[in-house]
Amino acid sequence: MKEPFNRVGFLIGWVSVITQFILMLQNRQADIVETIIRFFSFFTILTNTLVALYFTVHTFKIKNRVLFLFYKKGTLTALTVFILVVGIVYQIVLRHVWEPKGLQLIIDEMLHTINPIFVLVYWILFALREDVNFQNIKGWLWYPVIYFAYIITRGYFSGFYPYPFVNIPEIGYKQLFINFILIFSFIILLLAILIAFGRKLKHNII
């Protein structure tokens, strides 16, 4: 039962990320190198890429030192939390910012709605007891911290900020700090909910 889900996750993950990459290149507002850097400056893209890699590793049973992280206990729950953050923040904060059309609209929904829902369903079906142990997940909390540090540093030198709630020239450092605390707290809240709920799932207590 798990293998078909892995293949579907692999397919929708890479189709959405790769197609978005092509669309961004076609509509770029900077040179190619800068556009590629900007592409991977979006938390949405980084997280969807991590999810696509997770399903790739599990679909093709890839085992090496580079991708060992995707077999570690707790990784599935961490990725589920982050992709849910992508979806929820988009629906609440970012959906009104722009109105994509055509293929861009489809890919936008895949990245921010379909993929998060699919990963949540996958987590409900296949998460194990070890995946909802906070000790196995806590290392992943560095991911959003490092991400914020990166975009703030790069934004300072390049002037490019991927999201309005991290645009320091517009909102200032105080509001940036508040936004970071709110988002990080939301991540912790989602993590706590998934851990509490996961421990009650039948397949987690067998």
Side-chain angles (χ1 to χ4, degrees), residues 106-205:
I106 296 173
I107 298 304
D108 200 60
E109 293 300 335
M110 288 179 69
L111 290 168
H112 299 102
T113 305
I114 296 174
N115 287 358
I117 292 174
F118 178 83
V119 174
L120 178 60
V121 171
Y122 183 93
W123 178 86
I124 292 172
L125 292 174
F126 303 115
L128 302 174
R129 180 192 296 271
E130 295 82 358
D131 289 315
V132 293
N133 185 325
F134 179 73
Q135 293 301 315
N136 296 331
I137 304 169
K138 64 181 182 180
W140 275 98
L141 294 177
W142 283 105
Y143 170 48
V145 174
I146 293 172
Y147 172 76
F148 261 81
Y150 163 69
I151 59 173
I152 292 169
T153 302
R154 186 171 192 280
Y156 177 80
F157 291 103
S158 68
F160 174 77
Y161 297 90
Y163 300 107
F165 51 81
V166 296
N167 192 331
I168 297 174
E170 295 290 333
I171 66 174
Y173 284 98
K174 180 180 179 180
Q175 188 61 51
L176 173 73
F177 179 75
I178 293 173
N179 292 345
F180 172 76
I181 294 299
L182 289 174
I183 292 174
F184 194 78
S185 298
F186 184 55
I187 289 172
I188 297 298
L189 175 62
L190 278 180
L191 179 57
I193 291 172
L194 259 63
I195 289 176
F197 180 65
R199 289 175 177 173
K200 296 181 181 299
L201 293 179
K202 182 178 180 179
H203 54 278
N204 284 335
I205 61 176

Side-chain angles (χ1 to χ4, degrees), residues 48-123:
N48 274 278
T49 300
L50 286 173
V51 168
L53 284 171
Y54 177 90
F55 286 118
T56 300
V57 166
H58 287 271
T59 296
F60 298 102
K61 304 297 187 296
I62 303 171
K63 294 186 178 181
N64 58 48
R65 294 182 179 180
V66 176
L67 299 174
F68 80 97
L69 183 65
F70 296 101
Y71 283 104
K72 291 188 67 175
K73 301 170 183 177
T75 292
L76 176 57
T77 299
L79 293 180
T80 303
V81 169
F82 296 135
I83 197 69
L84 286 177
V85 169
V86 166
I88 295 171
V89 170
Y90 180 80
Q91 309 304 331
I92 296 175
V93 179
L94 300 173
R95 180 172 285 278
H96 69 280
V97 173
W98 73 323
E99 296 182 0
K101 305 292 184 182
L103 180 58
Q104 181 62 75
L105 174 61
I106 296 173
I107 298 304
D108 200 60
E109 293 300 335
M110 288 179 69
L111 290 168
H112 299 102
T113 305
I114 296 174
N115 287 358
I117 292 174
F118 178 83
V119 174
L120 178 60
V121 171
Y122 183 93
W123 178 86

